[in-house]
Amino acid sequence: MIRVGIYGYGNLGRGVEHAVRRSEDCELKAVFTRRDPSSVKIATPGVPVYSADSAAEHKDEIDVLILCGGSANDLPAQTPAMARLFNVVDSFDTHARIPEHFANVDKAAKEGGRTAAISIGWDPGLFSLLRLLSNAVLPDGADYTFWGKGVSQGHSDAVRRIDGVKDARQYTIPVESALEAARSGSRPELSTRQKHTRECFVVAEEGADKARIENEIKTMPNYFADYDTTVHFISQEELDRDHKGIPHGGFVIRTGEVGDGTNKAVMEFSLKLDSNPEFTSSVLLAYARAVYRLNSEGSTGCKTIFDIPAAYLINKSAEDLRAHML
Amino acid sequence: MIRVGIYGYGNLGRGVEHAVRRSEDCELKAVFTRRDPSSVKIATPGVPVYSADSAAEHKDEIDVLILCGGSANDLPAQTPAMARLFNVVDSFDTHARIPEHFANVDKAAKEGGRTAAISIGWDPGLFSLLRLLSNAVLPDGADYTFWGKGVSQGHSDAVRRIDGVKDARQYTIPVESALEAARSGSRPELSTRQKHTRECFVVAEEGADKARIENEIKTMPNYFADYDTTVHFISQEELDRDHKGIPHGGFVIRTGEVGDGTNKAVMEFSLKLDSNPEFTSSVLLAYARAVYRLNSEGSTGCKTIFDIPAAYLINKSAEDLRAHML
């Protein structure tokens, strides 16, 4: 059994807890929290909740620690600190800062003789892997990534910060005609605006000026000004009833030429997720298994999804995989 | 530059030749044929064509040899024989015999200090990889593979063997409603018949009994009897004009439960290929690059697509990949 620890018990941490329960070769050994441990009730009976500060004391009880904090404030410090003590996996998703984060985690993991995998999830993560695979197979081609339909927490938060807004939920939606254009093989240039629309469901405060709120949303730089945005005002009850989930998904498409250029090929990978964090957690656990195995073989330092063979992700022997899955 | 050799110059070999031309880090060094070398004209000026029997004499001129023969009669003997002398890649696709083929190639490659990758292409190949990835991430779920729309050479050949048939082309076509059922997450049990239909374009010989031919096709055991089959009689001119290509493709779909089971996820990978052999060739070359690199690092023996990290497939540095593709 692979002894798993969870560091940070929010949506992602709870998702990892469920994913561990679904995996016959993994068991949850501990949850670490920065809150008062006695205030955190977890779903798995008999598993201790410890203070994050005490993690080092438990390093010999855990084969791999899954870091479930946020990329903005938590992971840049937490992952290197923990990678000195544990094999770790994180879902660091600030694309521009990945090289710096990789260097920090790699140094710490190597010093500790540990193995780490960063930026695991679906984007970065499975989408990155499919981008690489399709570029390797089709060097003459064009890439397209679409996101959605799904909830963007950042955009939802931005709407909530507008004066007079009580609550809000924002969906990013791929434009069907842009998807078709991407798949056509004609290699169209598609702007972000052409590829996605944005839809907001807003609960206004009593007496708030809805026209002003709608205008502030639609003209908000970076978040909405470059998109076709639709705003719906609904009641808190409707928001809670119809928009409580955290769905997401998307498409990675590459088209390219093969042979003498007469023939084309389209490679497409898509996800449709009822729960973004629960799916991300499932990916994290598969790569946690890989990180543990790589460390057992003496391969230390920081890895990405590009460096890890698929065979390490699953609880089956190489013989079994060749006989039944190849 | 990675020095590539092609062993067998049919559709697949010609596809590899084009793929090499599209790859900045690869060069074609030689083509090996079992025909009279002087009778084989290749598309790349200045590259020698040698007799297959003389391959051993050229082993130091080639970094990786791509085997482009057939799975039924060529590869079971050719791949082990060549894996003793060269790093090799093949597209062995007889699923039931993969374990035996793996063992033979692994032994030969280890004895020769070489690296081999077998069963590379799209199924087995990229489809296998996606089946593994989606099973690792969604252990509680159901798998579906659909093929087509595409030409099945085996089924086309079977129709051509019927008395009175001059020429024929058979397409395997996925059933749209079955695709939708697979994506629904309801985990339907779908038989092969429910998932695919078959469409035949047949050129009958002058005066042949078309009703008998159609009946023989539709009732042919293994090939057609278990499917809804449509038969169209057309002229040779129409067949040559409209059905000359070798398109193919398909879908790998896995749906599964995440979290406490309330939420589902759908992972889908699809290919749409104007030319089945030209795309397969492109996959073979990407894995040839990986095989060469693995051998350079001292990793010998036989590998499958499950064993090879994606980073090895592409002509970019790890730093570049992390900065721009992750």
Side-chain angles (χ1 to χ4, degrees), chain A residues 136 139, chain B residues 1-4 19-28 63-64 285-286 288-290 292-293 311-316:
Chain B
M1 295 295 273
I2 302 173
R3 300 170 303 167
V4 175
V20 169
R21 213 172 31 75
R22 292 181 184 282
S23 296
E24 289 175 5
D25 62 336
C26 297
E27 59 177 329
L28 184 63
D63 294 319
V64 57
L285 186 66
R289 180 182 288 118
Y292 166 71
R293 291 181 177 176
Y312 284 75
L313 304 175
I314 198 163
N315 179 26
K316 289 182 194 296

Side-chain angles (χ1 to χ4, degrees), chain B residues 227-264:
Chain B
Y227 296 86
D228 291 330
T229 302
T230 314
V231 177
H232 309 277
F233 288 95
I234 61 173
S235 68
Q236 186 73 54
E237 292 68 38
E238 287 171 303
L239 191 83
D240 294 344
R241 186 190 66 207
D242 302 334
H243 303 283
K244 220 182 149 184
I246 319 174
H248 222 310
F251 303 80
V252 172
I253 298 169
R254 187 170 173 87
T255 65
E257 294 174 2
V258 292
D260 65 6
T262 310
N263 292 317
K264 289 175 182 163

